[in-house]
Structures are given as structure tokens and as C-alpha cells.
């Protein structure tokens, strides 16, 4: 009888030890499985499939901070293209200026008002003059907020008998705002100033 009790006790110890080993071994396995599952789900959620012209294209989501310099440079380029791309049509001018003013603060509005007061836009319309701009480069300082920038560009001014090329240098700061249809990059330009705008060369047409 006593021997049977010893056998039962020994068997119970074996079962308990085996159970502890199984449970101890299962915990890291469960943790690893959960970790890999989370990685897989996060990877799957970062993928976006786009249907374009009957073809399925795969895109990847990314944090905004990964693309911040790219978005900031494009915001500056877009503003300058709207503000300085002008044709001899009052509606075109007003449309472009309105788009530009969504991307900047009152400093851009002041520059627009000054140009309008000097008859700059009236001269474009009456003289059938077209203004186009090419952005050469945008330098950013992302180490301090608001982000300082300098924009280097070349203007092409086409008149009936001549074409003039002008250098353009501006600077300002970028502040974060809410993203919208009118401001897709979620920046606003503030303290915008024109540092240089002078003739480079002219040629007859």
C-alpha cells in the first residue's frame, strides 16, 4: 500500500514537472507567434492596392516624417508656380493667385496687393505678356521649426517681340497646418519675401 502511494506521488511529480516544462516552453512560443502576427498585420496594412487603367498597382503607406522634406519642397515649388505663372487673362491670373494664397499667409497677400497697385497685372493683360517660372532648387532647414527655406528660380517673360529671363530668389518659413483639398501638403508659407528679381538676358523673337 505504501509502495503504491510512493508510485502515485512520483507519477504526480513527473506530471507536474512535465506540465511546468510544457507551459514554460509555450510562453515564449506564444509571444513569438503574437510578435510575428503583429508584424505581418502591420505589413499588410501598409500595403495599398490601386486600380489604374485596368491594372492593379501596389503602393506602400509611410509616416509623414519620412516624406516631410519632399512634401515641403513641393509645397514651396507649387506656391511659386501658382504665384508667378501668369498669362494675359484676368481669370487665369486670379485663379492662380487664389490657389497660391491658400498656401501662404498674409505676407504673400501683401506682395500681391503691392504688385496689383503698381499695375503689374494690368500690364500683363494689356501687353499680352506671359510669365513662366522654372524652379531651380529649394533649400530647406529642417533642423528648426518653423522650417526656413530659400527658393532659387528663373522667370521667362514672353512679350510680342522679345523674351526676357530673370533670376528669382525668395525666402520664408514653413508652418504645419491641417491638410485640405486647397492645401494638400499641410504647410503654410509665412514671412515670405522676394530677395532678388533681376534680368539675366533678353532675346528678340
Amino acid at each position: 500500500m505504501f509502495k503504491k502511494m510512493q508510485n502515485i506521488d512520483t507519477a504526480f511529480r513527473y506530471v507536474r514537472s512535465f506540465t511546468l516544462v510544457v507551459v514554460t516552453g509555450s510562453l515564449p512560443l506564444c509571444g513569438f507567434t503574437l510578435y510575428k502576427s503583429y508584424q505581418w498585420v502591420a505589413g499588410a496594412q501598409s500595403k495599398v492596392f490601386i486600380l489604374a487603367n485596368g491594372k492593379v498597382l501596389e503602393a506602400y503607406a509611410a509616416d509623414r516624417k519620412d516624406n516631410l522634406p519632399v512634401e515641403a519642397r513641393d509645397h514651396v515649388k507649387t506656391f511659386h508656380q501658382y504665384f508667378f505663372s501668369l498669362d494675359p487673362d484676368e481669370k487665369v491670373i486670379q485663379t492662380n493667385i487664389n490657389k497660391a494664397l491658400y498656401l501662404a499667409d498674409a505676407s504673400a497677400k501683401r506682395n500681391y496687393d503691392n504688385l496689383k497697385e503698381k499695375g503689374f497685372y494690368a500690364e500683363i493683360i494689356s501687353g499680352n505678356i506671359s510669365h513662366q517660372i522654372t524652379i531651380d532648387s529649394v533649400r530647406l532647414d529642417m533642423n528648426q521649426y518653423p522650417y526656413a527655406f530659400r527658393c532659387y528660380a528663373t522667370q521667362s517673360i514672353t512679350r510680342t517681340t522679345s523674351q526676357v529671363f530673370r533670376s528669382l530668389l525668395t525666402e520664408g518659413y514653413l508652418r504645419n497646418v491641417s491638410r485640405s483639398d486647397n492645401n494638400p501638403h499641410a504647410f503654410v508659407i509665412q514671412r515670405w519675401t522676394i530677395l532678388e528679381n533681376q534680368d539675366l538676358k533678353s532675346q528678340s523673337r
Side-chain angles (χ1 to χ4, degrees):
M1 180 73 179
F2 182 71
K3 191 174 182 179
K4 283 185 178 180
M5 292 294 292
Q6 279 187 325
N7 289 340
I8 292 171
D9 187 52
T10 303
F12 176 73
R13 286 199 189 104
Y14 285 148
V15 170
R16 185 175 62 182
S17 300
F18 178 75
T19 303
L20 285 173
V21 169
V22 170
V23 171
T24 305
S26 297
L27 288 175
L29 181 62
C30 290
F32 177 75
T33 304
L34 287 171
Y35 172 73
K36 294 304 287 185
S37 298
Y38 175 78
Q39 275 191 329
W40 183 83
V41 170
Q45 287 179 341
S46 69
K47 294 180 181 178
V48 179
F49 293 94
I50 302 169
L51 185 63
N53 296 325
K55 296 180 181 178
V56 177
L57 305 175
E58 186 176 356
Y60 289 88
D63 291 337
R64 190 185 184 220
K65 63 181 180 181
D66 297 335
N67 297 317
L68 203 60
V70 176
E71 288 202 60
R73 278 191 292 271
D74 194 59
H75 184 90
V76 173
K77 288 179 183 179
T78 302
F79 166 77
H80 284 79
Q81 284 166 350
Y82 282 141
F83 197 91
F84 292 104
S85 293
L86 305 168
D87 284 314
D89 185 313
E90 188 175 357
K91 289 185 178 179
V92 172
I93 291 172
Q94 199 58 54
T95 298
N96 284 354
I97 293 297
N98 287 341
K99 288 178 180 179
L101 294 181
Y102 276 115
L103 308 180
D105 68 357
S107 58
K109 182 69 164 59
R110 280 195 300 272
N111 277 282
Y112 166 69
D113 289 340
N114 289 338
L115 290 171
K116 188 175 182 180
E117 188 176 333
K118 292 175 182 177
F120 174 73
Y121 300 106
E123 183 184 343
I124 289 175
I125 296 169
S126 63
N128 284 325
I129 302 169
S130 293
H131 285 241
Q132 296 298 322
I133 186 171
T134 301
I135 308 299
D136 300 319
S137 65
V138 177
R139 294 185 183 176
L140 289 171
D141 181 7
M142 305 297 290
N143 296 318
Q144 191 172 358
Y145 181 82
Y147 312 119
F149 74 84
R150 278 200 171 189
C151 179
Y152 299 82
T154 304
Q155 284 181 283
S156 170
I157 303 168
T158 305
R159 295 185 172 92
T160 306
T161 58
S162 66
Q163 187 173 24
V164 178
F165 294 92
R166 297 175 66 88
S167 65
L168 177 68
L169 172 60
T170 70
E171 71 174 10
Y173 296 85
L174 289 172
R175 176 169 54 87
N176 293 323
V177 294
S178 299
R179 200 180 298 270
S180 69
D181 290 340
N182 293 316
N183 192 341
H185 294 305
F187 289 111
V188 68
I189 293 171
Q190 57 185 26
R191 288 180 278 168
W192 181 62
T193 55
I194 299 173
L195 300 177
E196 177 187 299
N197 190 16
Q198 59 185 12
D199 289 354
L200 294 173
K201 64 177 182 178
S202 63
Q203 60 190 32
S204 300
R205 297 182 67 235

